[in-house]
Each structure stands twice: as C-alpha cells, then as structure tokens.
Amino acid sequence: MQTPIILTGDRPTGKLHIGHYVGSLRQRVQAQQTHRQFVMIADLQALTDNSHDPAKVTGNMLEVMADYLAAGLDPAKTTFCLQSALPALPELTGYYLNLVSVARLERNPTVKAEIQQKGFERSLPAGFLVYPVSQAADITAFRATHVPVGEDQLPMLEQTNEIVRRFNGLVGREVLTECQPILSDTGRLPGIDGKAKMSKSLGNTIELGMSEAEIKQAVHGMYTDPNHLRLSDPGQVEGNTVFTYLDAFHPDKALVAEMKAHYRRGGLGDMRCKQVLNDCLQSLLAPMRLRRQQAMSERGELLTLLRQGTEQARTVTDRVLGEVKRAMGLNYFD
C-alpha cells in the first residue's frame, strides 16, 4: 500500500505562534511518524501581498525553520523545502491557470475573505488573486494525498481537486492526484484580545519562542467576560478567550469542564483561570523555547537542512512536471 504523502507549509512573514501550533503544527509532528511529509516555506506566496517589503519575507525564512524544529518536526522524518527554489511550481501554475476562469477565482470564499480583510479592493495584486492555483501546483507537484488545513481553507483544496479533475479529464488519464484535508480538532484560535483572528500583524499572538515573562504578560492581558466584575458574579464561558485557550491546550479536560461550571455559577475569578492557563502554556512552550534558541544559534545548519530538503523536493516536483508536460504533448525534445 502506498505511503500517504502530506504537504504543508507556512508563509515566512513572521515567527510562528500557538495558533499555528494548534492549527496544524501539532498534527504535523504526529503525522511525520506515519506519513511521508514535506513542509514548505511558502516565500513566493508570501510575496503576493508583501512585494512592497520583500525583506519581511526573506528575513523570516530561518525564523520559521527554527520554529519548525522547536515544535518537534524532525529532519530525519520530515523534508523541509523552499518554494522559490522549486522551478517546477511556477511552471505548473502557468499551465493550471489556463484551466481556471477569473470568475471562479473571485468566487473562492477564502480569497474573497482575505481580499476584504486586507482592503485590496481594485489594488488587488494579480498574484494574490491566483494564489489558489499556485497552491494547487504545490500540492499536485508533491503528489500530496493529505493536506492539514483549517476549515476556512477547505475551498482551496476544493479548487485544487477541481483543477486535478479538469486536467486528468483533458489528457484522458490520471496524471495528477486528488488530495484530502486533515482537519484540526481545534477551531481557529482568536487573538489574545478576543478578536476573531490571531494575526502577527495585529500583535495579538503568543509566539512559540516567547520568554516566560512575555507569556505571563500575554495571558494576564487576555480578554475575558467584561460583565464578570466580581468574584461572585456568574461568568460567561462562550467568547471568553481564556476558556477557548484552555480547551485548546490544557491536557486535563475534566479540570477545564469543572472550571467552566464553577465560572458559570460564580465564585471563580478571572485571575485564577488565567493562572491555570499560564501554567499550561509555560509547560508547553518552555521546551520549544529551548529548542528554538539552540536552532537559531546554528543558522548555518538551518540553511543546510533547508538546502538538502529542497534538493530532494526538486527531484520529486521535477518528475511530476515532466509527467504533466508529456501528458500535454510538450515533450518535443524527448
């Protein structure tokens, strides 16, 4: 039976945070035991809305590599690669663009939401509009069978599989492989300020490499129930960021359930809840912080790991590109 293949990755626009960890990093660490896994630093995709500041992308490449190792990804089990160093990807994107209409791209719910969030309007970069096609090229070039995503990214995989079916139908055989999502058991984390999105640009994150004092400060400043003014007041758990994070990270689910019941009936203070969460996050992030510090002290080794992985990935993606070109009849010189 063929080993399932995972492709996943991140845009290097800043250090990774606990939203990344609970969203897919935790799954990647588990999956590397049973799947062949490629983890791609998506610098080309990051440039689609950061072309005005390329240093923001290039300057964070090794930061993201260090975060991967800090989270527990093992170079012996996971192949790391750099998107811009894989020439098969933009070439495949070019072929796939002919299979997708502008109207279909504009209907993609994920793209529509991000366009609105970023306030592009008519200044929308063409590269950003077509990044679902670029993502389809990434996924198919690795023959990925599974992709870890949040629910908001499901339309991207749907569009990838549409392209796969369209291409295979045109050439009359199965050249490309459809993929399936691996969904996190935790929804998207809100920011520590209670806003719907945890975002590096909004400054409402807890980074994997934060110090003990920084974590404590972030937790103590978290949004809770604004109507829970006195210890004896009944509190609301829904929309309370502290309890959202406890659900996501605390290993003792029975304790969290008991705390919720206590908070709802009154008698449990916000500071006590935050202390429990702080202890939990300190325990989770302390070993990551140490691994990250070690990784960043050996930047040359990080670059070597990325170069070696990219060379392996190029062999895989070039092979798929060759199969696509032969299926289209573009192998004139073979």
Side-chain angles (χ1 to χ4, degrees):
M1 189 174 181
Q2 185 179 6
T3 302
I5 299 172
I6 284 180
L7 174 70
T8 183
D10 297 280
R11 293 156 43 101
T13 54
K15 299 173 184 177
L16 301 186
H17 52 68
I18 60 174
H20 293 112
Y21 181 75
V22 76
S24 67
L25 270 176
R26 186 162 57 185
Q27 294 169 290
R28 301 180 212 179
V29 173
Q30 296 167 350
Q32 67 185 348
Q33 309 298 331
T34 54
H35 294 62
R36 184 179 186 191
Q37 181 166 250
F38 296 92
V39 173
M40 185 169 68
I41 297 181
D43 56 338
L44 287 181
Q45 184 176 320
L47 287 170
T48 61
D49 57 335
N50 288 284
S51 60
H52 62 287
D53 186 14
K56 179 181 178 182
V57 176
T58 58
N60 279 299
M61 184 183 69
L62 292 184
E63 298 282 359
V64 172
M65 270 296 295
D67 283 327
Y68 286 154
L69 299 184
L73 289 174
D74 183 351
K77 299 174 181 177
T78 290
T79 302
F80 303 103
C81 56
L82 183 63
Q83 189 179 34
S84 62
L86 299 172
L89 304 183
E91 186 168 349
L92 285 171
T93 299
Y95 298 141
Y96 295 170
L97 280 170
N98 297 317
L99 307 178
V100 181
S101 69
V102 172
R104 175 64 183 92
L105 288 168
E106 290 176 335
R107 287 198 308 272
N108 186 304
T110 305
V111 175
K112 286 173 67 176
E114 293 188 10
I115 288 173
Q116 183 176 12
Q117 174 206 330
K118 296 177 187 296
F120 280 139
E121 297 182 351
R122 296 309 300 171
S123 63
L124 172 67
F128 190 85
L129 178 64
V130 304
Y131 89 77
V133 183
S134 171
Q135 199 167 70
D138 299 339
I139 293 168
T140 57
F142 286 91
R143 296 203 179 284
T145 58
H146 296 81
V147 181
V149 292
E151 287 192 4
D152 61 318
Q153 293 293 312
L154 288 176
M156 306 293 280
L157 297 196
E158 179 184 345
Q159 190 145 34
T160 292
N161 287 338
E162 286 178 11
I163 291 171
V164 168
R165 290 190 289 270
R166 181 88 186 273
F167 183 87
N168 289 345
L170 286 172
V171 301
R173 55 193 174 91
E174 291 192 9
V175 176
L176 302 177
T177 304
E178 290 192 38
C179 62
Q180 300 176 30
I182 300 177
L183 291 171
S184 171
D185 56 5
T186 302
R188 171 177 279 191
L189 283 183
I192 61 175
D193 53 4
K195 293 183 178 177
K197 182 177 174 62
M198 178 179 283
S199 168
K200 290 170 279 192
S201 61
L202 295 175
N204 61 357
T205 68
I206 297 177
E207 296 171 354
L208 301 186
M210 271 188 172
S211 69
E212 183 176 349
E214 288 171 328
I215 295 168
K216 183 176 181 179
Q217 180 181 7
V219 171
H220 282 200
M222 272 188 178
Y223 179 85
T224 57
D225 178 2
N227 297 315
H228 188 243
L229 302 177
R230 295 179 295 273
L231 181 69
S232 59
D233 289 340
Q236 183 169 319
V237 169
E238 292 74 21
N240 188 319
T241 305
V242 172
F243 281 103
T244 302
Y245 278 50
L246 284 169
D247 280 335
F249 295 104
H250 204 288
D252 191 339
K253 303 305 178 187
L255 172 63
V256 175
E258 180 183 327
M259 289 176 63
K260 286 181 178 180
H262 193 175
Y263 193 80
R264 285 187 173 111
R265 68 177 180 264
L268 179 60
D270 289 326
M271 289 308 297
R272 174 56 187 157
C273 297
K274 290 179 179 181
Q275 185 58 54
V276 173
L277 176 60
N278 179 66
D279 292 346
C280 167
L281 292 180
Q282 296 287 1
S283 176
L284 173 70
L285 296 177
M288 293 191 198
R289 181 168 57 248
L290 290 175
R291 289 195 293 265
R292 193 182 196 286
Q293 290 170 349
Q294 177 65 28
M296 288 302 290
S297 71
E298 301 173 346
R299 288 172 175 255
E301 178 63 21
L302 285 179
L303 197 59
T304 297
L305 283 174
L306 185 57
R307 181 186 295 113
Q308 291 173 343
T310 301
E311 290 171 356
Q312 295 174 36
R314 182 164 182 173
T315 300
V316 174
T317 57
D318 283 354
R319 184 183 304 122
V320 172
L321 173 63
E323 293 176 12
V324 166
K325 294 179 74 170
R326 282 190 292 275
M328 296 174 67
L330 296 174
N331 56 329
Y332 307 114
F333 302 128
D334 286 357

